[in-house]
Amino acid sequence: MVDRNRKKKGWTALIAAAVTLSTVLSACSGGKEPASASNAPSDGDPITISFETSVYAEEPHKKAIDALIAKYNETHPNVTIKVHGTDYENYWDKLTTEILAGTQGDIVQVYPENIATYNALQSGGTFVNLDEKIQASGLEDKLVGQELSKVDGSYYALSNYAWGSTGIFYSKSMFEAAGIDPASIQTMDDFKEAAIQLGGVKDGQYGFSSVIGTHPFIASEWYRLLARPVSGGIYFPDGEAGPYEADRINVNSAPNVWAAEWWQDLIKNPQATPPGTRDKKVSREMFWNGQAGMMMDGPWFIGMTKERDEALMDDLGLMPQPSVVYEGQTYKPNPHNYPIVSMISKDSKHPDEAWEFLEWMTSREAQQIIAGSGMIPSSKEYAESEEYKTENPLAAQFFDFQENVYAPAVMDPPIPELGSLSQILINAAQEMFVGMKDAKTALDSAAEQMKDTMH
């Protein structure tokens, strides 16, 4: 599975230039209107719908999507659905180029924070406003993450595929050997104590396989576990809410500085975390190899573990992200919710047929197929069902965390400048957690750079 961090260097500058170009063009054009349903072929006529996604390169998703299309074709044999895209790393550059050329897919899968950026690339908007269709479908409150699919108060995507959040996976055998009860880990301070205790059992063993290096996770693990719960936002306050203006940059707020200093104290402990430069792949390998007792990941890690070695499943435990105690107050964790959402291009010749397929994907038979992707199906009803819980007991815990343990998820701000802001944050994290630079100095500098970006 891909790492769920959507901050990519390569497409930041390209998107910024594209948005500028789109703004210039909008002065000369009234924008494109949604394709008319009257132009669509009648029932039974052969049509082709292109489906663009970043996850098809991953085998579990490929199997799930191929099975979805095969099942849909049993009742819609006239509809050919062609899947295209590329590996996750290159998907976003490719999508930007296609949108500017008007060659994007009829259906485009993204994450909620990508909607505003890519919708802005065409004058008048790239994608179809789905308000009427979603409200008429009765799905508005039945899909996990649907509320995140709005731009300026309107829906531009349907959360019809799957989602994931994050938690703490742990080795049952290592916890037992260290004499640690996982239920005793309620706060991040408990987590730190457990990490140090796990690492003290024997040489070459560590408590938590964090990512310390050039990978974007060097920033995201810190702010998802610590900073955002206490500050309300790493970029903007109040849950990353607008207005998104320079004077509301929040990265160097007192809670975020405190969280960075706390994280520095954790990762410099030689028992708590392993030394050296690593990425997420290496941290997972350390966990599987018994070198680390805990790691942070999402439900896709369950399938990855089973594929790596099914025998490892007996030793795989899962707990929610701990709460954070700051200045005497306890803050619930508020990790990202990662729904993969689907949009319909305004350039599509078959928008109604594309919608019909997307709506069918929310059905029980489709959600059963989607469960094979390794993520959690978007239908709340199906994810809560005894059938799903019985077949996917570990993954079902994430749904319980989301509903009963975690505070509402705090998502990245849905603005075109997000790519630039996230790269500034990654650079600051590398200074703090690799170079051990003073946290306040690094975050003050990051704040100034972010303000310049917003200006």
Side-chain angles (χ1 to χ4, degrees):
M1 294 288 174
V2 296
D3 297 327
R4 306 296 164 190
N5 190 304
R6 292 166 290 283
K7 289 83 175 176
K8 300 301 177 190
K9 296 180 183 178
W11 48 278
T12 299
L14 182 58
I15 286 178
V19 171
T20 301
L21 177 60
S22 177
T23 302
V24 172
L25 291 176
S26 67
C28 306
S29 170
K32 298 180 180 180
E33 294 300 320
S36 171
S38 63
N39 293 328
S42 59
D43 290 344
D45 290 343
I47 66 168
T48 298
I49 296 173
S50 53
F51 182 12
E52 192 157 9
T53 175
S54 68
V55 299
Y56 195 66
E58 300 171 9
E59 191 58 31
H61 286 290
K62 183 180 186 302
K63 288 181 179 178
I65 292 171
D66 285 347
L68 281 172
I69 294 171
K71 175 60 71 172
Y72 190 71
N73 283 153
E74 289 179 8
T75 53
H76 297 76
N78 63 308
V79 179
T80 299
I81 299 174
K82 289 189 175 181
V83 183
H84 67 97
T86 185
D87 61 280
Y88 185 84
E89 295 292 330
N90 297 306
Y91 178 76
W92 308 101
D93 274 349
K94 180 175 180 290
L95 180 57
T96 300
T97 302
E98 289 175 343
I99 290 174
L100 291 174
T103 59
Q104 71 275 10
D106 296 284
I107 296 169
V108 177
Q109 276 192 340
V110 295
Y111 298 90
E113 59 262 44
N114 305 129
I115 297 172
T117 298
Y118 291 98
N119 193 51
L121 291 182
Q122 284 189 359
S123 174
T126 308
F127 301 102
V128 175
N129 183 312
L130 297 177
D131 281 347
E132 290 186 7
K133 290 185 180 296
I134 289 174
Q135 290 160 7
S137 71
L139 292 169
E140 195 168 6
D141 301 318
K142 296 180 179 180
L143 303 172
V144 175
Q146 184 57 47
E147 71 281 1
L148 304 173
S149 299
K150 287 185 175 182
V151 174
D152 296 329
S154 288
Y155 290 115
Y156 284 86
L158 184 67
S159 182
N160 65 337
Y161 187 67
W163 64 279
S165 183
T166 48
I168 305 296
F169 288 94
Y170 66 92
S171 165
K172 295 177 183 178
S173 59
M174 290 177 69
F175 266 56
E176 184 177 353
I180 301 171
D181 178 4
S184 69
I185 301 177
Q186 298 294 315
T187 69
M188 284 300 294
D189 292 324
D190 299 332
F191 174 86
K192 181 188 290 185
E193 291 180 12
I196 295 170
Q197 189 172 338
L198 284 163
V201 172
K202 62 181 179 180
D203 291 341
Q205 180 173 300
Y206 304 93
F208 176 61
S209 60
S210 61
V211 175
I212 308 297
T214 58
H215 195 278
F217 263 77
I218 190 172
S220 63
E221 288 186 339
W222 151 63
Y223 71 72
R224 290 173 191 169
L225 281 169
L226 275 168
R228 268 186 173 156
V230 297
S231 71
I234 196 72
Y235 300 108
F236 298 93
D238 307 317
E240 302 291 1
Y244 300 111
E245 298 170 349
D247 61 2
R248 298 189 74 248
I249 289 294
N250 197 51
V251 70
N252 62 336
S253 65
N256 284 333
V257 172
W258 169 86
E261 292 170 343
W262 191 102
W263 196 251
Q264 285 177 321
D265 186 64
L266 171 74
I267 63 177
K268 69 184 180 183
N269 187 294
Q271 293 176 196
T273 61
T277 299
R278 298 174 302 284
D279 60 20
K280 196 64 179 177
K281 179 180 179 182
V282 174
S283 75
R284 287 168 175 152
E285 288 289 341
M286 294 190 71
F287 181 85
W288 286 326
N289 293 336
Q291 295 172 273
M294 295 184 289
M295 68 166 296
M296 176 185 176
D297 221 320
W300 44 86
F301 183 67
I302 300 167
M304 295 172 72
T305 301
K306 188 173 182 179
E307 184 176 331
R308 174 70 154 65
D309 184 352
E310 193 159 355
L312 292 171
M313 294 297 294
D314 292 336
D315 195 42
L316 188 64
L318 174 63
M319 67 180 98
Q321 290 181 201
S323 298
V324 186
V325 178
Y326 171 63
E327 294 189 341
Q329 184 172 342
T330 300
Y331 296 83
K332 286 185 175 182
N334 54 14
H336 272 46
N337 178 349
Y338 294 105
I340 298 179
V341 301
S342 300
M343 303 183 290
I344 299 174
S345 170
K346 281 187 176 181
D347 293 334
S348 173
K349 296 178 180 178
H350 312 298
D352 288 343
E353 288 79 3
W355 169 259
E356 187 175 354
F357 174 64
L358 294 184
E359 187 175 22
W360 172 81
M361 283 175 61
T362 68
S363 68
R364 190 177 186 88
E365 65 177 346
Q367 294 285 292
Q368 289 173 323
I369 295 170
I370 289 168
S373 71
M375 297 178 72
I376 303 171
S378 292
S379 167
K380 294 179 182 180
E381 180 182 6
Y382 182 64
E384 288 180 307
S385 70
E386 288 305 315
E387 174 190 346
Y388 180 75
K389 292 177 181 177
T390 300
E391 294 180 0
N392 305 274
L394 267 182
Q397 289 187 46
F398 280 98
F399 189 85
D400 178 66
F401 296 166
Q402 194 82 7
E403 294 293 302
N404 302 311
V405 181
Y406 293 164
V410 176
M411 307 299 289
D412 290 340
I415 54 176
E417 298 89 350
L418 176 60
S420 296
L421 298 182
S422 65
Q423 188 56 53
I424 292 167
L425 184 63
I426 292 167
N427 294 342
Q430 289 168 350
E431 291 177 349
M432 294 187 295
F433 307 137
V434 177
M436 286 295 166
K437 183 176 181 179
D438 175 72
K440 188 174 188 311
T441 301
L443 293 179
D444 281 346
S445 175
E448 291 306 311
Q449 294 173 60
M450 289 183 183
K451 289 176 183 178
D452 288 342
T453 296
M454 297 309 298
H455 282 309

